[in-house]
Amino acid sequence: MKEVIHRNSVSRILSISLAILLAFSTTLFGQEGDPDRGKQLFNSNCAACHKLDQRMTGPALAGVTKERDREWLHKWIKNNVALRKSGDPDAIAIFEEYNGAAMNTFPQLSEQDIDDILAYTENPPASAAAQTGGAGQAVAAEPSGIPNEVVLVALILVFGMLVIMLILVNKALRRIAEAKGIELPEDKEGRLPLWKAFVKNQFLVFVSVIVLLLVSAYFVYGYMMQVGVDQGYEPVQPIHFSHRIHAGDNEIDCKYCHSSARVSRTSGVPSLNVCMNCHKNIMEVAPETATAEHSKEFYDGEIQKLYEAVGWDVENQAYTGETKPVRWVKIHNLPDFVYFNHSQHVTVAGLACQECHGPIEEMEVVRQFSPLTMGWCVDCHRTTDVRMEGNEYYEKIHEELSKKYGVEKLTAAQMGALECGKCHY
């Protein structure tokens, strides 16, 4: 009885090979944490006291998972105070080694957050910038781990080798069949088109659908996360106002124009009367004020627009009473369900305008510097210490909460700044 080699043997080999390839790629990427995300968490929570390769307030953290048990590290990072009180000898030894410097507790970090941070200490992203070594000399950070580009090239090479191997195996099987006189079934219908062969292979269809869904979900998620984020928004205003000249060259305090930022929820748009406090007498700019982009004539023309808006007669040095409204374009917009109070941050917290608005004194045209997302605000609350000096109310709360958390300084988050009702109503 003649042996017959069925055509689906090749497709079975292909299916098995693809399964091996998928297993290989899963193993390659299946890390316990994400070092890229870990870098962001490290910078926002740990960088004030730790570096990867240099001892600071705390120890250098490169390779810390090789020195300490991962489960112990989770307990230490979550609440090192509780770990010391439990009598853990390692926790007590570290506390004594660093002269009793109390490490902040991080109850807000999830298990995955900590895994990401530890992954960063094990395998910093290849794009990490050069770090500064001792004596103020710049030391280039040595990239560790496998870059994504290398992994991608390796996967392509492996896939190509599998394809070549399948072709060679197919030819070898045919030669063996011919040598042994095995009759191969004739292809009466001719070769199937590639798309029909693909459709008939259920494994390939399944893998392709999964990959398509994952890729689609990635791009949809990325797009949705940008909805409402206007970072970099730089509208053209009806009257050109240069913060570079006013806040930069002339060093005018931001709160001189935006006076309500100290006492109100909003920073306020200064009235044109505030502008006229100076521009009653300043009718033109100095020649050295001009730039390659904006000439002296341009700036002088904008001052004339101001005079037209307020109804100022330059010749008679008097107001005509004929005013024109200026429709300023709002730059920083928050959703209606978000509450933000400027006075709480400017007066109570003592934050400089540049903390949120960036180097405003260098901007010719103001743009939205920060993303103003919820995650951005939360990160700031987790890393910013509350000012206690001269505030009896905060001093009393600090005294009670510092005992609870075992820290010397409280962050805004530990004072309740992560409560939903603080920003949403």
Side-chain angles (χ1 to χ4, degrees), residues 277-342:
N277 288 341
C278 298
H279 283 286
K280 274 186 178 181
N281 300 314
I282 301 175
M283 294 176 286
E284 59 179 353
V285 299
E288 57 269 20
T289 303
T291 63
E293 186 177 1
H294 299 99
S295 64
K296 179 183 184 304
E297 290 72 23
F298 170 80
Y299 286 122
D300 292 344
E302 297 304 303
I303 295 176
Q304 294 303 316
K305 289 183 182 179
L306 169 64
Y307 291 160
E308 292 176 8
V310 299
W312 176 250
D313 186 343
V314 177
E315 293 183 2
N316 297 319
Q317 291 290 293
Y319 288 104
T320 63
E322 299 177 1
T323 60
K324 296 180 181 179
V326 178
R327 292 180 172 84
W328 300 106
V329 181
K330 190 175 181 180
I331 302 172
H332 303 87
N333 297 282
L334 293 178
D336 292 339
F337 55 83
V338 176
Y339 176 82
F340 178 85
N341 191 312
H342 272 81

Side-chain angles (χ1 to χ4, degrees), residues 45-46 77-79 103-110 114 382 414:
N45 295 281
C46 315
I77 295 172
K78 280 276 189 181
N79 194 338
M103 171 179 163
N104 290 344
T105 58
F106 297 95
Q108 74 276 9
L109 293 179
S110 66
I114 297 176
R382 286 175 174 170
Q414 291 168 331

